[in-house]
mmCIF file of all heavy atoms in Angstrom:
data_model
loop_
_atom_site.group_PDB
_atom_site.id
_atom_site.type_symbol
_atom_site.label_atom_id
_atom_site.label_comp_id
_atom_site.label_asym_id
_atom_site.label_seq_id
_atom_site.Cartn_x
_atom_site.Cartn_y
_atom_site.Cartn_z
ATOM 1 N N ALA T 241 -3.039 25.079 -26.595
ATOM 2 C CA ALA T 241 -3.237 26.483 -26.233
ATOM 3 C C ALA T 241 -4.713 26.805 -26.066
ATOM 4 O O ALA T 241 -5.101 27.591 -25.197
ATOM 5 C CB ALA T 241 -2.617 27.394 -27.287
ATOM 6 N N TYR T 242 -5.556 26.198 -26.879
ATOM 7 C CA TYR T 242 -6.989 26.458 -26.806
ATOM 8 C C TYR T 242 -7.659 25.683 -25.672
ATOM 9 O O TYR T 242 -8.527 26.219 -24.971
ATOM 10 C CB TYR T 242 -7.659 26.085 -28.134
ATOM 11 C CG TYR T 242 -7.799 27.256 -29.087
ATOM 12 C CD1 TYR T 242 -6.715 27.688 -29.837
ATOM 13 C CD2 TYR T 242 -8.997 27.936 -29.227
ATOM 14 C CE1 TYR T 242 -6.826 28.762 -30.702
ATOM 15 C CE2 TYR T 242 -9.129 29.004 -30.088
ATOM 16 C CZ TYR T 242 -8.036 29.420 -30.824
ATOM 17 O OH TYR T 242 -8.154 30.494 -31.681
ATOM 18 N N VAL T 243 -7.284 24.440 -25.481
ATOM 19 C CA VAL T 243 -8.027 23.555 -24.578
ATOM 20 C C VAL T 243 -7.426 23.504 -23.181
ATOM 21 O O VAL T 243 -8.153 23.382 -22.193
ATOM 22 C CB VAL T 243 -8.107 22.136 -25.187
ATOM 23 C CG1 VAL T 243 -8.739 21.154 -24.223
ATOM 24 C CG2 VAL T 243 -8.900 22.175 -26.492
ATOM 25 N N ASN T 244 -6.109 23.631 -23.082
ATOM 26 C CA ASN T 244 -5.457 23.442 -21.788
ATOM 27 C C ASN T 244 -4.752 24.695 -21.273
ATOM 28 O O ASN T 244 -5.287 25.421 -20.454
ATOM 29 C CB ASN T 244 -4.462 22.267 -21.877
ATOM 30 C CG ASN T 244 -5.158 20.939 -22.106
ATOM 31 O OD1 ASN T 244 -6.173 20.641 -21.490
ATOM 32 N ND2 ASN T 244 -4.610 20.133 -23.007
ATOM 33 N N ARG T 245 -3.566 24.965 -21.781
ATOM 34 C CA ARG T 245 -2.750 26.007 -21.160
ATOM 35 C C ARG T 245 -3.334 27.404 -21.302
ATOM 36 O O ARG T 245 -3.237 28.211 -20.376
ATOM 37 C CB ARG T 245 -1.335 25.964 -21.735
ATOM 38 C CG ARG T 245 -0.516 24.815 -21.165
ATOM 39 C CD ARG T 245 0.805 24.656 -21.906
ATOM 40 N NE ARG T 245 1.585 23.555 -21.377
ATOM 41 C CZ ARG T 245 1.359 22.261 -21.634
ATOM 42 N NH1 ARG T 245 0.347 21.931 -22.413
ATOM 43 N NH2 ARG T 245 2.122 21.320 -21.125
ATOM 44 N N GLY T 246 -3.955 27.714 -22.432
ATOM 45 C CA GLY T 246 -4.541 29.051 -22.592
ATOM 46 C C GLY T 246 -5.614 29.336 -21.551
ATOM 47 O O GLY T 246 -5.524 30.325 -20.812
ATOM 48 N N PRO T 247 -6.656 28.500 -21.456
ATOM 49 C CA PRO T 247 -7.684 28.715 -20.430
ATOM 50 C C PRO T 247 -7.128 28.633 -19.009
ATOM 51 O O PRO T 247 -7.515 29.411 -18.139
ATOM 52 C CB PRO T 247 -8.681 27.579 -20.693
ATOM 53 C CG PRO T 247 -8.452 27.184 -22.104
ATOM 54 C CD PRO T 247 -7.003 27.414 -22.379
ATOM 55 N N LEU T 248 -6.201 27.682 -18.780
ATOM 56 C CA LEU T 248 -5.634 27.550 -17.441
ATOM 57 C C LEU T 248 -4.870 28.807 -17.046
ATOM 58 O O LEU T 248 -5.019 29.314 -15.926
ATOM 59 C CB LEU T 248 -4.713 26.325 -17.389
ATOM 60 C CG LEU T 248 -4.070 26.017 -16.032
ATOM 61 C CD1 LEU T 248 -5.138 25.782 -14.969
ATOM 62 C CD2 LEU T 248 -3.153 24.806 -16.134
ATOM 63 N N ASP T 249 -4.083 29.339 -17.964
ATOM 64 C CA ASP T 249 -3.319 30.550 -17.662
ATOM 65 C C ASP T 249 -4.232 31.732 -17.347
ATOM 66 O O ASP T 249 -3.979 32.495 -16.414
ATOM 67 C CB ASP T 249 -2.411 30.917 -18.844
ATOM 68 C CG ASP T 249 -1.219 29.989 -18.979
ATOM 69 O OD1 ASP T 249 -0.952 29.238 -18.031
ATOM 70 O OD2 ASP T 249 -0.564 30.017 -20.034
ATOM 71 N N ILE T 250 -5.283 31.903 -18.123
ATOM 72 C CA ILE T 250 -6.149 33.062 -17.922
ATOM 73 C C ILE T 250 -6.893 32.964 -16.587
ATOM 74 O O ILE T 250 -7.139 33.969 -15.917
ATOM 75 C CB ILE T 250 -7.132 33.218 -19.110
ATOM 76 C CG1 ILE T 250 -7.575 34.684 -19.226
ATOM 77 C CG2 ILE T 250 -8.326 32.312 -19.003
ATOM 78 C CD1 ILE T 250 -8.333 34.983 -20.506
#
Side-chain angles (χ1 to χ4, degrees):
Y242 266 79
V243 174
N244 294 317
R245 284 171 181 78
L248 182 59
D249 287 346
I250 205 169

